[in-house]
Amino acid sequence: MRFLVDLHTHTVASDHAYSTIMDYFNYAAEIGVQMFACTDHGPAVADAPHKWHFRNLRVVPHIVNNVAMLRGVEANIMPSGGLDLEDDILSRLDIVLAGFHPNYTPTNKDEHTRLMLDVIKSGKVDVIAHPGNPHYPIDLEAVLTCAKQYNVAIEINSSSSVNTRMGSHDNCVQVARLAKKIGNVISLGTDAHFVTYLGNFDESLKVIEEAEMGYDNIINNSPAKVLDFLESRGHAPIKSLRRFFTPYP
Ligand SMILES: [Zn+2]
Ligand SMILES: [Zn+2]
């Protein structure tokens, strides 16, 4: 299975990542990745960019070197509820991921689950990032059922258990098994913090195969499928990308 889209990457805008957006465009062109989402951390974590980073992403073209980029964020689910970016900034972005990060000291499974369900129901999040993170246990069945109901994608993260969040693997397999049963939309992301990890879905594939999840509900095999999903979530069509990925209009 070949995945042409990587929906989770970080740039130098997050201090603990080491490549520029241009590095990603160039490397994607070199290895045949057709689309990536630039999803730096929301401002609540210590090493994240200022919120203006997200507001001004519109100056970055959607297409460079024949590669498409989605303007995105990996927002933080806040301990007080909701996300760490204002609605007017979120609404300018092409894709919003959200997950738990160290700005929130883990409390307990019920509380993590409640915060995540609220964010899913808010309509502001397109993808739940790394739900298998063992540091923030959640009621997976409740979260995935709610995500299905609200058409929010579930991520199978290819850095978990490899570069970060060690001990995630078994949880991720459980997520994949449940997602198959419930019929969730699946988003794959490498969570690259350096450009050479772009498009490396080895860990995601291990999880998918171990869980016998199949590939039908994964949106990453085609940029058009990703655009369809985002429009089904209420995002306005990105006309330049629609034209680019529709060779015979
Ligand atoms: Zn994350
Ligand atoms: Zn990330």
Side-chain angles (χ1 to χ4, degrees):
M1 174 58 68
R2 185 79 207 290
F3 299 112
L4 302 174
V5 183
D6 187 338
L7 289 172
H8 190 157
T9 68
H10 296 276
T11 74
V12 286
S14 305
D15 289 344
H16 60 296
Y18 308 94
S19 302
T20 66
I21 299 181
M22 199 61 216
D23 292 335
Y24 281 98
F25 275 122
N26 289 337
Y27 190 68
E30 199 182 312
I31 64 170
V33 166
Q34 295 183 355
M35 175 191 270
F36 67 96
C38 180
T39 54
D40 279 299
H41 290 280
V45 285
D47 42 6
H50 188 272
K51 63 182 178 180
W52 292 357
H53 165 88
F54 302 99
R55 200 159 73 188
N56 205 34
L57 267 178
R58 63 188 169 193
V59 304
V60 183
H62 274 122
I63 302 166
V64 174
N65 277 354
N66 285 322
V67 171
M69 187 209 62
L70 298 173
R71 301 161 183 160
V73 63
E74 183 180 18
N76 298 294
I77 300 175
M78 300 299 282
S80 52
L83 301 176
D84 59 339
L85 271 183
E86 294 93 329
D87 292 356
D88 75 303
I89 298 180
L90 291 173
S91 66
R92 290 166 193 245
L93 296 173
D94 302 324
I95 186 165
V96 176
L97 279 52
F100 291 121
H101 294 98
N103 63 300
Y104 170 34
T105 305
T107 51
N108 60 69
K109 188 172 171 177
D110 286 350
E111 183 68 0
H112 305 156
T113 303
R114 184 183 70 77
L115 291 168
M116 200 169 259
L117 292 178
D118 283 351
V119 157
I120 291 170
K121 291 175 189 169
S122 75
K124 297 172 188 172
V125 173
D126 303 307
V127 180
I128 291 296
H130 43 71
N133 187 352
H135 303 304
Y136 299 91
I138 50 172
D139 179 337
L140 289 174
E141 181 123 28
V143 166
L144 269 65
T145 302
C146 186
K148 167 74 179 168
Q149 190 185 345
Y150 285 83
N151 189 30
V152 170
I154 293 296
E155 180 185 76
I156 297 183
N157 186 297
S158 207
S159 273
S160 293
S161 294
V162 180
N163 300 317
T164 183
R165 294 178 294 279
M166 305 316 283
S168 291
H169 180 84
D170 291 350
N171 284 351
C172 294
V173 171
Q174 211 190 328
V175 167
R177 283 204 183 108
L178 262 176
K180 181 184 181 184
K181 189 178 97 182
I182 293 169
N184 293 95
V185 175
I186 299 293
S187 171
L188 303 184
T190 62
D191 208 352
H193 285 61
F194 187 70
V195 68
T196 54
Y197 207 70
L198 180 78
N200 182 342
F201 292 111
D202 291 354
E203 172 62 17
S204 298
L205 281 168
K206 268 189 221 162
V207 167
I208 291 161
E209 277 159 26
E210 197 175 325
E212 298 178 341
M213 189 190 82
Y215 298 94
D216 292 352
N217 291 339
I218 300 173
I219 53 178
N220 299 62
N221 47 357
S222 130
K225 218 164 156 182
V226 172
L227 297 175
D228 287 347
F229 169 68
L230 293 172
E231 286 173 30
S232 78
R233 294 254 335 128
H235 289 273
I238 308 168
K239 288 182 186 149
S240 60
L241 294 188
R242 276 296 184 196
R243 276 197 301 274
F244 187 67
F245 290 110
T246 309
Y248 308 107

